[in-house]
Amino acid sequence: MKELNDKELIAELKKLKGRENQIVAELVKYLSEVDRRKLYLELGYPSLFAYCCKALGYSESAAYRRIAAARVYSDNPEVYHKLGCGELTLCAVAELSKVIKPENKEELFSKVEGKSKQEVQSVVAEYRRAPEIKNKRQESVKVRHVKQSEAPLLSLESKSAEQPPSKSYSVTLELSEEEMALVQEAQAILSTRKVKETLLKSAKRIIQQHKNLQVKRERRVVNKKIVKESMPLVEVDQSKKPSRYIPADVRHAVEIRDNGRCSYVSPDGTRCCETRNLEFDHRVPFALGGQSTVENLRLVCRGHNRMYAENVFGREWIEQVVARSA
Ligand SMILES: [Zn+2]
């Protein structure tokens, strides 16, 4: 590289930037297809977000941006070209994901082209405010269905890339309008510092309660085992009607056996890391005569529960069932 003169060095750098834009566009395109096929489930991850962070090694905020862009791309394929030629940055596309619709996309693209992150954020904020004002004028209140994002509720970003991440973070909360109004009301009464303290206290209390609950569950399972071992054998009434009900001791035994974590293991041995919102899944489905026993039950995350159901009943059928119950 030392043999390059200044002009050549800058020319090479520009070429690299062009290639970088192209790679980002390709990556967004591929990510969108992985998302459509839900391949992360088969590979042992509960969500595309978990896959991006754990398997691809992205930071939470980097993963969030790429996934948001991939979802914008899936509805607006022209984003591929705009990213590739540098008309739009990844950050801009991720920001646009919050407000983009078929009727405003052309206008949005032209407004954010070549703009800085702050400028794009202010354009997006305008579009977010517009429907709020419109809604206030309307007398009838409509229920708004918020599309669940796979990104976490909180996205963390260190304030400066040069600072060690443990020193300072800014926290972005994805809130609905109602939740935001609640936070603003709290801020009007308390200072921002007090609101932060209250949130942190709640988080500490929840963690402590969760730990206490786990200890209690473990004790209960041990006690039940002792009682069961000392009891005489009772014949089970096989004529009883099958039920979806899962007795508490069965639930506890499954939770302990599966370590309170999704039990799915991918063909290459990756175990799903999800520990939140777990569900009990019948290995032999209940609809096919599967019983609610410890052996036939397993803890799974929502994504893997659905994957198992799709494997048995077919994706189309499960989509119809979900659509009917929505
Ligand atoms: Zn899982």
Side-chain angles (χ1 to χ4, degrees), residues 4-16:
L4 296 176
N5 64 35
D6 293 353
K7 208 175 157 189
E8 287 167 340
L9 188 64
I10 296 300
E12 283 302 312
L13 192 61
K14 281 187 176 173
K15 265 193 222 165
L16 283 173

Side-chain angles (χ1 to χ4, degrees), residues 263-278:
S263 59
Y264 177 79
V265 180
S266 73
D268 73 355
T270 306
R271 180 165 174 185
C272 179
C273 55
E274 190 57 270
T275 55
R276 297 166 303 169
N277 303 321
L278 297 176

Side-chain angles (χ1 to χ4, degrees), residues 22-38:
Q22 203 52 51
I23 286 172
V24 167
E26 285 291 323
L27 195 129
V28 163
K29 192 175 172 183
Y30 273 73
L31 214 49
S32 164
E33 186 58 14
V34 169
D35 193 25
R36 194 186 68 77
R37 297 188 198 182
K38 293 186 183 170

Side-chain angles (χ1 to χ4, degrees), residues 190-204:
L190 303 166
S191 65
T192 303
R193 188 174 59 83
K194 283 275 180 196
V195 172
K196 188 177 120 185
E197 278 173 13
T198 312
L199 282 172
L200 290 175
K201 260 187 209 167
S202 301
K204 278 181 194 164

Side-chain angles (χ1 to χ4, degrees), residues 15-281:
K15 265 193 222 165
L16 283 173
K17 178 68 179 88
R19 272 160 58 193
E20 187 186 24
N21 291 345
Q22 203 52 51
I23 286 172
V24 167
E26 285 291 323
L27 195 129
V28 163
K29 192 175 172 183
Y30 273 73
L31 214 49
S32 164
E33 186 58 14
V34 169
D35 193 25
R36 194 186 68 77
R37 297 188 198 182
K38 293 186 183 170
L39 289 183
Y40 48 86
L41 288 173
E42 209 181 307
L43 295 168
Y45 299 90
S47 63
L48 185 60
F49 182 76
Y51 175 73
C52 284
C53 292
K54 294 183 191 299
L56 300 182
Y58 285 116
S59 68
E60 291 190 344
S61 52
Y64 174 81
R65 280 194 295 277
R66 280 154 183 80
I67 293 169
R71 288 178 182 162
V72 171
Y73 162 79
S74 72
D75 294 330
N76 309 279
E78 63 268 47
V79 162
Y80 173 78
H81 171 73
K82 290 180 185 295
L83 281 170
C85 69
E87 270 179 31
L88 289 178
T89 63
L90 189 66
C91 256
V93 180
E95 279 297 318
L96 291 186
S97 70
K98 297 168 186 170
V99 290
I100 195 163
K101 289 175 189 163
E103 61 270 24
N104 67 13
K105 66 176 183 180
E106 290 306 327
E107 194 180 74
L108 271 172
F109 287 148
S110 65
K111 280 189 176 177
V112 302
E113 200 182 302
K115 294 279 167 32
S116 70
K117 187 180 173 182
Q118 279 75 19
E119 286 168 330
V120 174
Q121 281 174 334
S122 103
V123 170
V124 168
E126 260 176 50
Y127 278 76
R128 290 185 109 173
R129 272 199 300 275
E132 277 173 30
I133 294 162
K134 202 176 154 195
N135 284 346
K136 274 183 191 169
R137 285 186 192 141
Q138 286 174 345
E139 282 182 12
S140 62
V141 179
K142 286 182 184 171
V143 177
R144 197 168 134 232
H145 294 281
V146 179
K147 199 177 171 187
Q148 287 293 318
S149 153
E150 281 182 345
L153 178 67
L154 301 174
S155 73
L156 304 175
E157 207 167 351
S158 61
K159 274 192 172 171
S160 155
E162 285 149 26
Q163 282 178 334
S166 60
K167 277 193 176 171
S168 176
Y169 289 96
S170 70
V171 178
T172 310
L173 270 170
E174 288 279 335
L175 296 176
S176 67
E177 282 172 33
E178 266 177 54
E179 289 163 341
M180 190 59 206
L182 199 69
V183 172
Q184 282 170 335
E185 210 179 318
Q187 268 184 318
I189 301 164
L190 303 166
S191 65
T192 303
R193 188 174 59 83
K194 283 275 180 196
V195 172
K196 188 177 120 185
E197 278 173 13
T198 312
L199 282 172
L200 290 175
K201 260 187 209 167
S202 301
K204 278 181 194 164
R205 201 170 55 238
I206 290 165
I207 292 165
Q208 195 51 51
Q209 280 172 350
H210 181 71
K211 280 182 186 166
N212 294 345
L213 200 68
Q214 269 187 326
V215 171
K216 271 188 194 168
R217 277 176 180 166
E218 279 166 24
R219 275 192 204 141
R220 226 180 292 162
V221 170
V222 173
N223 290 342
K224 288 258 178 187
K225 207 178 162 196
I226 294 166
V227 172
K228 222 172 184 179
E229 280 168 2
S230 61
M231 272 171 69
L233 278 174
V234 181
E235 226 174 89
V236 179
D237 184 1
Q238 296 295 340
S239 65
K240 267 189 182 175
K241 230 182 155 187
S243 164
R244 276 190 180 275
Y245 172 73
I246 305 170
D249 57 342
V250 173
R251 285 173 171 266
H252 296 146
V254 174
E255 278 169 357
I256 298 295
R257 184 199 63 206
D258 293 345
N259 281 324
R261 183 177 161 188
C262 175
S263 59
Y264 177 79
V265 180
S266 73
D268 73 355
T270 306
R271 180 165 174 185
C272 179
C273 55
E274 190 57 270
T275 55
R276 297 166 303 169
N277 303 321
L278 297 176
E279 297 167 352
F280 289 94
D281 173 55

